[in-house]
Amino acid sequence: MDAVNRGVSQGSCLSPLLFSIYVRELPACCPSSTFQFADDTTASEADKSLDKLADKLNTTFNCIKEFCNSRELTINVDKTQLIIFKAASKRIPDNFEITLDGCSIKPNKTVKLLGVVLDQHITFGAQITEVVNKCRSLLGILGRSVPYLPVELLRMMYMAMIRSQLEYGNALYLSSANCHKNKLDIVQKR
């Protein structure tokens, strides 16, 4: 294992805090709305024209890159995602892409941000499906544990493993269609 001669080792509990302090001025240097959580940075822009949107995001990326270069930080362009929120009736041309640092980025239909799956129409259907599938799997494990564990421990496991999944980000689901919310109700009743 190599000695750390600068900063702290990967996985250290100090890493997110120190990184946040180190890059706290990043949003001020960006023309777009910029949001940060630990080492994740999200830039947001709005425009009716895809070309203008691409130009704005390129400008913001260049500002972020310049900021990072001045602090000897590296951006992992391969982890960069693009989503365009739009009405279901609006189409995005198949050939639309943004090129950042020579890396072509096409818009995704869904992206995961802080553990929440966002879809381009903001229906939260993909998020709810992911939560339901995860909860069903965990309920199966919990069900197989019933003969071996006391009720109090089973209740604690439910709260920690399943209920937490159902409650994380649940305020976002208010605008979801009833067909999506019904899936959550079925899991909760199980």
Side-chain angles (χ1 to χ4, degrees):
M1 184 149 136
D2 295 328
V4 176
N5 57 15
R6 200 187 321 184
V8 293
S9 57
Q10 176 96 20
S12 164
C13 60
L14 282 176
S15 295
L17 174 64
L18 292 175
F19 182 80
S20 294
I21 291 168
Y22 195 61
V23 297
R24 72 181 180 275
E25 297 168 359
L26 175 62
C29 78
C30 294
S32 300
S33 297
T34 307
F35 309 95
Q36 296 174 273
F37 183 80
D39 64 344
D40 285 337
T41 301
T42 301
S44 174
E45 267 303 339
D47 205 296
K48 291 182 180 182
S49 164
L50 288 176
D51 292 333
K52 288 180 183 176
L53 183 68
D55 288 343
K56 289 177 181 181
L57 290 173
N58 267 306
T59 300
T60 295
F61 175 79
N62 289 330
C63 291
I64 292 172
K65 183 179 176 188
E66 185 178 313
F67 178 91
C68 290
N69 287 344
S70 71
R71 286 158 179 81
E72 297 182 33
L73 297 171
T74 305
I75 298 173
N76 189 345
V77 181
D78 293 331
K79 287 187 173 181
T80 302
Q81 303 177 85
L82 171 65
I83 188 165
I84 298 175
F85 298 113
K86 63 180 194 65
S89 60
K90 300 281 182 183
R91 293 205 20 89
I92 298 172
D94 292 336
N95 64 348
F96 179 77
E97 61 185 35
I98 294 177
T99 304
L100 305 174
D101 255 5
C103 185
S104 174
I105 301 169
K106 291 188 163 282
N108 297 320
K109 292 183 189 257
T110 62
V111 296
K112 196 167 207 174
L113 183 62
L114 301 177
V116 176
V117 179
L118 301 171
D119 63 273
Q120 64 185 353
H121 306 303
I122 315 176
T123 64
F124 295 104
Q127 167 67 13
I128 290 171
T129 298
E130 185 172 298
V131 168
V132 165
N133 291 340
K134 195 179 293 185
C135 287
R136 282 184 181 152
S137 174
L138 292 168
L139 280 167
I141 293 168
L142 195 62
R144 288 188 295 278
S145 304
V146 168
Y148 309 105
L149 299 173
V151 173
E152 194 55 39
L153 186 55
L154 291 167
R155 187 175 291 123
M156 285 174 51
M157 288 174 63
Y158 165 76
M159 294 301 284
M161 295 173 19
I162 300 163
R163 187 65 184 241
S164 61
Q165 296 289 329
L166 291 169
E167 290 185 1
Y168 183 71
N170 66 359
L172 299 171
Y173 308 153
L174 289 174
S175 63
S176 295
N178 286 336
C179 64
H180 297 306
K181 289 189 261 190
N182 289 341
K183 294 177 191 176
L184 290 169
D185 287 342
I186 291 168
V187 167
Q188 209 163 7
K189 288 175 185 173
R190 276 188 71 197

